[in-house]
Amino acid sequence: MTQASRGDSVNRWMAARPLTLVTACFLAGVVIGHAWESAPWLWGGLAAAAALALGLFRKRALAFALVLALGALHVSLFMRKPAVSGAEGVCLTGVVDAEPRQTDRALRLRLSGASIDGEPLPCRVMLYLYDMENIPACGDRITATVNTWTPRRAGNPGGFDYAAWLWRQRVALCASAGADHVTAIEPPDSFSLPRWLQIVRARVADVVRGAFTEESAGVALALVTGDRSEMSQELRDNLRAAGVAHLLALSGLHVSALLALVEWLLRRLRLSRRASFCLTLPFMAAYALLVGLPASVLRACLMYAAARLGRLDGRPRDGLSLIALSMLPLLLVNPLYVEDAGFVLSFSAVTGLALLGRPWPERRAGGSLTARVGEAILAALRASLAAQAAALPAMIGLYNQIPFWFLPFNLFLGPLMTLLFPLLLAAVALSAACPAAAMPLVWLSERLLGLLSGATAFGAGLPLALINAADWPAWLIVLYAGALLCASPHVRLARTGRRPAMARAAMLALIALGLLLPRLYPHGALEITFVDVGQGDGAVVRSEGRVYLIDTGDGSTMADYLLDQGLEPEGIFLSHGHSDHAAGLAAIIDDFPPCPIYVSTEWDSEPVDEAVALAWDKALAAGWSVVRLRAGDALNLSENVTMTVWHPGALAASGLNETSLVCDVRYGESAALFTGDLPMAQEFLTLPPCTVLKAAHHGSKYSTGALLLSQVDPAVAVISVGHNNYGHPAPEVLDRLAGAAIYRTDERGAVTVALEKDGSTRVTTWLPEATQ
């Protein structure tokens, strides 16, 4: 291919799909601006320079550079948060503008038009109310005496960024109060759209619960309204393991089926195509509002409207143009959609379909039924593979797991969901009008829901159902996106022409490289990361390429960190049976193969917390082995790194804290001492000096006493602590640790300490010192 012909190809592409290129450049700018978080004046200056160069040189490429700079400027402006700060005992007033959500411990309300002590706030507020019996509704104005705080960023690599999630909703301040501090709840004086939508959702939910069994109602609600709060966690996990979780996410499948049904009904009334389309638009908007305007539904609605409008005007658009027409408005309204899982996965999948998918085979005259079925199956497999291939980097970045058996399950369950969704809509609509008449539809829907549940449970139980994968670096994602584009018929490679086979081979090679990358990164002989698990303990020990855990915290934080980093534990040490130290074992069991669990000989001397007991039984049932340790035991974690147990031993212990496993990990002249929740009453031990001390009991004033510190004399002290009502870490402990460099996980996030053989250390933290 000559230079001139390559130039003609580029010009033809630019002439045929200018909006696609503009949107791609704007998206690239948004991603770059979001990743670098530079000051807006920098991107504004680059945009002005690009505009000036465009005016002087009239080069089309400069227009795309200008769009890219504008995208970066746009997102950088959106990321600037107002200057707000926390306070105690202030009067908060605001209007509930979203449906209240009940969390594990509190009622969560989002407030707009908020003010504190009469001063208007430049942002929304997320209010958490405890022990509330009278639940406010959307549109209510609430007044309460609250404590406020600014949300913090994710404390660990790959962790859930609570502050970013809130800011996508323009929330920059949180507040909390008990029910007795709520002074007024006033209903709106006029019509409130959020309140009306909440009433409609509640009515739909009541109809679904009344018509379906408890097990089926949660899935039906998720499919009809997008509310997954009543789905069992087991079913969610099974859907993800089978690679079909996207079938329950409200997206193109649901929107297209619903709107096509509405248009078909209107056409049966002998309305013209244009009239049917115009009447479908308000119905489409109403449905999007009803389900809460998720990004995937907005994308599907915009693509549907653009495709139908193009056909009516006699200018049908291809898939890439439709994607651009739907993506650009969303990014202009809120560029922080690039953080939203629904936005990223939805657009990734449809881009894969546009680039690699083939149109559904047309029925050919004279073709046999077997041939037509075979063609349809191949088209479905190709579509599923194309969508999954394009969404792969996003799935890894969001979940750090790849479903291995997604192709057969999508082939089987995809048509099932295409049938199930309109059937559910009809069953719910008929149940609202005449429950008796809806019974056959409800019965059939429940049989299909049972088939879905059974199939996904079977898929989750298959070997290699989920392959763990660490986050990909940016350069690998860029290379993969380039290979994906080169594998499509829209791009011809220079000189050699289009070589899709080579591009697909490159994609497979890059996937393999992504799976191997964590093993290729160099690490020191001994590196310990104290993971930010909130008010709990959890540390990851990397010992010359081997990985061990010392405590697991509560919940899935430790498992999420391991998945993000591409690590697999070879042994887990549990200090004692409190949930904040050991309940996280349950999530690790779900995501990793069995390995030995090390506990003290006193583990069974005291009843462990209920959540720990459940995790313990789960581990034993899954074949995890148990090793019991006592003072004097020593283990080789690797060739040059050893662990020695110092407690429990001769001292009598009562209570879980006193049975804490105390051990040190030693490499040459360096050592890290782990103390669990050991109280001062059990500190009458003979302990060697250490370089790094994990302060006992999250900095409680009844632990980490002067006797212990006089023996170990640490250079670095790490306090694993989160938001709590116990006063941890206590000022007395901070004073006693004054001779050491103190790092707190509630302030610095994950704390990583590299220990050298000569006794020196190197400390890095996930969050900067100023982050609170």
Side-chain angles (χ1 to χ4, degrees):
M1 183 181 291
T2 65
Q3 185 71 29
S5 61
R6 288 199 298 273
D8 291 341
S9 298
V10 172
N11 289 332
R12 284 197 300 270
W13 176 283
M14 294 172 70
R17 297 185 178 88
L19 182 61
T20 301
L21 290 177
V22 166
T23 303
C25 291
F26 192 80
L27 173 64
V30 168
V31 171
I32 293 170
H34 181 270
W36 281 359
E37 298 188 34
S38 299
W41 63 263
L42 174 62
W43 300 117
L46 291 176
L52 179 61
L54 178 63
L56 292 175
F57 302 107
R58 307 280 182 180
K59 295 292 185 180
R60 193 175 295 180
L62 292 173
F64 297 119
L66 172 60
V67 172
L68 189 147
L70 289 175
L73 173 62
H74 188 48
V75 74
S76 65
L77 290 172
F78 256 73
M79 293 173 69
R80 291 173 64 88
K81 297 181 182 178
V84 292
S85 58
E88 295 184 1
V90 295
C91 180
L92 172 69
T93 301
V95 177
V96 181
D97 69 351
E99 188 168 347
R101 295 290 182 183
Q102 185 70 50
T103 64
D104 292 339
R105 297 185 300 167
L107 181 70
R108 189 179 72 208
L109 306 171
R110 194 181 71 189
L111 306 182
S112 61
S115 63
I116 288 183
D117 292 335
E119 292 293 328
L121 289 172
C123 62
R124 289 172 171 166
V125 176
M126 193 65 77
L127 173 62
Y128 293 86
L129 296 178
Y130 296 86
D131 304 320
M132 283 292 292
E133 296 181 359
N134 182 21
I135 299 178
C138 288
D140 286 351
R141 176 173 293 276
I142 187 166
T143 303
T145 302
V146 302
N147 296 331
T148 64
W149 72 93
T150 54
R152 62 180 296 221
R153 294 167 50 191
N156 303 305
F160 174 66
D161 197 328
Y162 179 60
W165 177 76
L166 288 176
W167 187 237
R168 287 202 298 274
Q169 307 172 62
R170 317 313 285 172
V171 174
L173 191 67
C174 295
S176 63
D180 54 340
H181 287 83
V182 177
T183 57
I185 299 177
E186 306 169 85
D189 297 328
S190 57
F191 173 77
S192 169
L193 179 60
R195 191 184 192 90
W196 182 82
L197 290 172
Q198 181 182 355
I199 293 172
V200 174
R201 291 191 198 104
R203 172 59 181 154
V204 171
D206 288 341
V207 170
V208 171
R209 295 189 196 101
F212 292 86
T213 62
E214 182 178 353
E215 182 179 357
S216 299
V219 188
L221 271 176
L223 282 167
V224 174
T225 68
D227 181 6
R228 300 190 183 191
S229 60
E230 298 186 26
M231 278 181 60
S232 68
Q233 187 60 47
E234 180 182 6
L235 179 56
R236 296 187 198 191
D237 294 340
N238 290 344
L239 286 163
R240 187 160 57 89
V244 294
H246 62 281
L247 294 178
L248 258 70
L250 295 180
S251 60
L253 171 68
H254 305 77
V255 173
S256 298
L258 176 61
L259 299 184
L261 177 62
V262 173
E263 275 202 67
W264 180 83
L265 291 174
L266 293 174
R267 291 285 291 159
R268 299 285 74 76
L269 298 176
R270 300 189 181 278
L271 295 177
S272 67
R273 291 186 182 275
R274 188 173 295 275
S276 300
F277 171 72
C278 292
L279 290 175
T280 302
L281 288 180
F283 184 86
M284 179 177 68
Y287 179 73
L289 284 169
L290 179 65
V291 299
L293 299 175
S296 57
V297 167
L298 291 174
R299 188 273 307 164
C301 289
L302 290 171
M303 287 188 68
Y304 186 91
R308 284 290 190 269
L309 189 60
R311 290 182 182 179
L312 291 174
D313 291 344
R315 293 180 293 178
R317 300 176 176 90
D318 64 2
L320 292 177
S321 298
L322 291 174
I323 292 169
L325 279 168
S326 58
M327 180 185 288
L328 189 57
L330 293 180
L331 290 177
L332 288 172
V333 170
N334 188 353
L336 296 183
Y337 270 132
V338 294
E339 301 173 347
D340 182 79
F343 177 92
V344 175
L345 289 174
S346 181
F347 274 105
S348 296
V350 296
T351 300
L353 290 172
L355 290 175
L356 303 179
R358 285 180 179 172
W360 196 264
E362 296 181 2
R363 183 173 180 176
R364 294 176 298 180
S368 66
L369 176 62
T370 303
R372 293 200 300 272
V373 170
E375 289 176 349
I377 291 175
L378 287 176
L381 287 174
R382 185 182 180 94
S384 178
L385 188 59
Q388 293 283 345
L392 184 64
M395 286 192 299
I396 292 174
L398 291 167
Y399 308 116
N400 294 114
Q401 291 182 319
I402 306 170
F404 185 76
W405 301 105
F406 70 90
L407 271 179
F409 284 97
N410 275 276
L411 181 63
F412 169 62
L413 295 177
L416 174 69
M417 296 302 293
T418 303
L419 171 64
L420 178 59
F421 179 65
L423 186 63
L424 276 174
L425 288 177
V428 172
L430 196 54
S431 295
C434 181
M439 289 180 64
L441 293 180
V442 171
W443 181 87
L444 181 57
S445 299
E446 290 204 322
R447 302 289 81 76
L448 295 179
L449 289 171
L451 187 59
L452 171 70
S453 178
T456 54
F458 173 75
L462 291 175
L464 295 177
L466 288 171
I467 300 174
N468 295 341
D471 280 0
W472 285 8
W475 60 265
L476 183 59
I477 296 175
V478 171
L479 288 177
Y480 185 83
L484 178 71
L485 187 61
C486 292
S488 77
H490 299 284
V491 173
R492 291 187 176 274
L493 303 181
R495 297 187 180 182
T496 58
R498 187 169 66 86
R499 294 287 182 89
M502 295 174 57
R504 291 166 190 160
M507 290 170 62
L508 292 175
L510 291 171
I511 293 171
L513 178 61
L515 294 174
L516 293 174
L517 268 182
R519 296 174 175 81
L520 302 179
Y521 284 128
H523 290 280
L526 179 59
E527 187 176 283
I528 302 173
T529 298
F530 298 87
V531 179
D532 178 15
V533 294
Q535 181 67 8
D537 270 12
V540 177
V541 178
R542 299 189 191 190
S543 172
E544 297 177 308
R546 306 183 71 176
V547 178
Y548 300 88
L549 307 184
I550 300 180
D551 281 336
T552 62
D554 198 353
S556 63
T557 302
M558 181 65 80
D560 294 340
Y561 175 82
L562 294 171
L563 291 171
D564 178 80
Q565 299 295 299
L567 304 177
E568 186 175 296
E570 298 184 35
I572 300 174
F573 295 83
L574 300 178
S575 63
H576 62 292
H578 277 150
S579 294
D580 59 334
H581 290 253
L585 176 66
I588 294 170
I589 294 168
D590 290 334
D591 294 324
F592 298 95
C595 66
I597 301 174
Y598 298 88
V599 297
S600 79
T601 53
E602 301 294 320
W603 178 268
D604 298 320
S605 64
E606 299 281 347
V608 300
D609 288 352
E610 182 180 0
V612 178
L614 293 173
W616 184 262
D617 293 341
K618 186 177 182 179
L620 296 180
W624 293 52
S625 61
V626 177
V627 179
R628 299 181 185 272
L629 303 172
R630 62 177 291 113
D633 290 342
L635 299 87
N636 291 323
L637 300 186
S638 61
E639 183 178 354
N640 298 298
V641 179
T642 59
M643 172 182 280
T644 303
V645 179
W646 301 95
H647 183 80
L651 293 176
S654 63
L656 285 177
N657 287 347
E658 292 196 2
T659 66
S660 290
L661 187 70
V662 177
C663 56
D664 71 349
V665 178
R666 186 168 297 275
Y667 171 55
E669 299 298 320
S670 295
L673 181 66
F674 294 84
T675 55
D677 279 353
L678 191 74
M680 280 192 281
Q682 291 289 318
E683 289 181 359
F684 295 94
L685 308 171
T686 300
L687 295 171
C690 71
T691 318
V692 179
L693 171 68
K694 197 287 298 181
H697 204 175
H698 325 293
S700 167
K701 66 180 180 180
Y702 302 110
S703 297
T704 316
L707 179 60
L708 182 145
L709 291 174
S710 66
Q711 296 185 80
V712 300
D713 189 26
V716 174
V718 178
I719 304 176
S720 185
V721 64
H723 178 72
N724 65 89
N725 297 320
Y726 310 113
H728 298 164
E732 297 93 326
V733 172
L734 297 177
D735 290 340
R736 291 197 289 263
L737 291 170
I742 302 174
Y743 296 88
R744 296 168 46 171
T745 57
D746 63 332
E747 294 181 345
R748 309 295 295 274
V751 178
T752 299
V753 185
L755 292 87
E756 304 296 339
K757 198 169 188 178
D758 61 2
S760 61
T761 61
R762 186 177 67 258
V763 182
T764 56
T765 62
W766 179 244
L767 299 178
E769 187 170 5
T771 300
Q772 298 295 326

